[in-house]
Amino acid sequence: MDKREQILARLVTVAQGLPGVSTVTRNSDEISEHKRPAIAIFDADETADERAEQQGHPGQAPNLIEMTPEVLILLGAAPASVGTALNDLRARLVKAVLTDQALIELAGPNGRVRYTGCTTHLGHGRSMEAAMGIQFSVAYVLRPEQL
C-alpha cells in the first residue's frame, strides 16, 4: 500500500475513534440524518514540491508531496446548537489528527501534518446546513521505488 493510501486510511481510523461520531465514510457524503453525526473523508488532491524540479532532481528522485484531503462534518443538530456542536467536533477532530502518532510517523521526519482551516455552511446567504468542511495538509516524501 502506498503512503498516500496509508495516510487516508489512517485519517478514517482516527475519525472512527472519536466518541459520538455515528458514521465515518470515505469519498461519499450521502449520509442520512439518522446516521449523523458523521464525518466524510475525501481523497481530494496532492501536489509535488516544485523546488525538486528547479534544482534539477531527476523524476525518479524522492520528492515532497503535499496532500490536501477534504473532511466534512455533518450533524443533525437543532439550529440553536448547531454552531456549538460543529465547533466541538471540529476541535476534537483537529486535536485527534494533529496528535495521532501513527499519522505523524507516516508523514515522516521531512513531512508534516497541519490543520489549514475550515468552512461552514453557516452564514448569511448560505444553506445553514449543519455541515463544516475541514482542511488538513499532510506532507510526505514520495519515493518512487516504494510504489
Side-chain angles (χ1 to χ4, degrees):
M1 180 180 327
D2 85 320
K3 188 76 61 115
R4 175 180 167 81
E5 180 60 28
Q6 291 176 53
I7 290 168
L8 290 164
R10 185 63 196 168
L11 284 172
V12 170
T13 301
V14 170
Q16 288 171 332
L18 291 175
V21 174
S22 300
T23 306
V24 176
T25 65
R26 183 159 164 207
N27 297 319
S28 173
D29 62 354
E30 299 296 323
I31 302 168
S32 67
E33 284 284 328
H34 71 278
K35 291 186 177 182
R36 296 179 184 190
I39 296 176
I41 297 172
F42 297 89
D43 292 8
D45 305 317
E46 69 178 18
T47 57
D49 185 341
E50 295 301 320
R51 290 176 292 180
E53 186 176 341
Q54 293 168 356
Q55 295 172 356
H57 294 163
Q60 70 273 20
N63 195 6
L64 191 63
I65 303 296
E66 190 93 18
M67 57 186 294
T68 52
E70 296 175 10
V71 180
L72 183 62
I73 295 174
L74 298 163
L75 300 180
S81 65
V82 69
T84 300
L86 281 171
N87 288 327
D88 173 66
L89 187 48
R90 180 202 60 85
R92 291 188 294 124
L93 177 64
V94 169
K95 180 178 181 180
V97 168
L98 297 183
T99 61
D100 184 70
Q101 199 56 44
L103 196 54
I104 292 166
E105 288 174 18
L106 283 168
N110 295 318
R112 63 189 168 278
V113 180
R114 292 182 27 217
Y115 166 72
T116 60
C118 72
T119 306
T120 72
H121 290 207
L122 306 175
H124 181 71
R126 298 185 189 178
S127 70
M128 298 304 284
E129 181 182 6
M132 177 186 283
I134 307 285
Q135 292 85 40
F136 290 103
S137 170
V138 182
Y140 68 95
V141 176
L142 173 69
R143 300 182 188 281
E145 71 277 3
Q146 293 178 352
L147 294 175

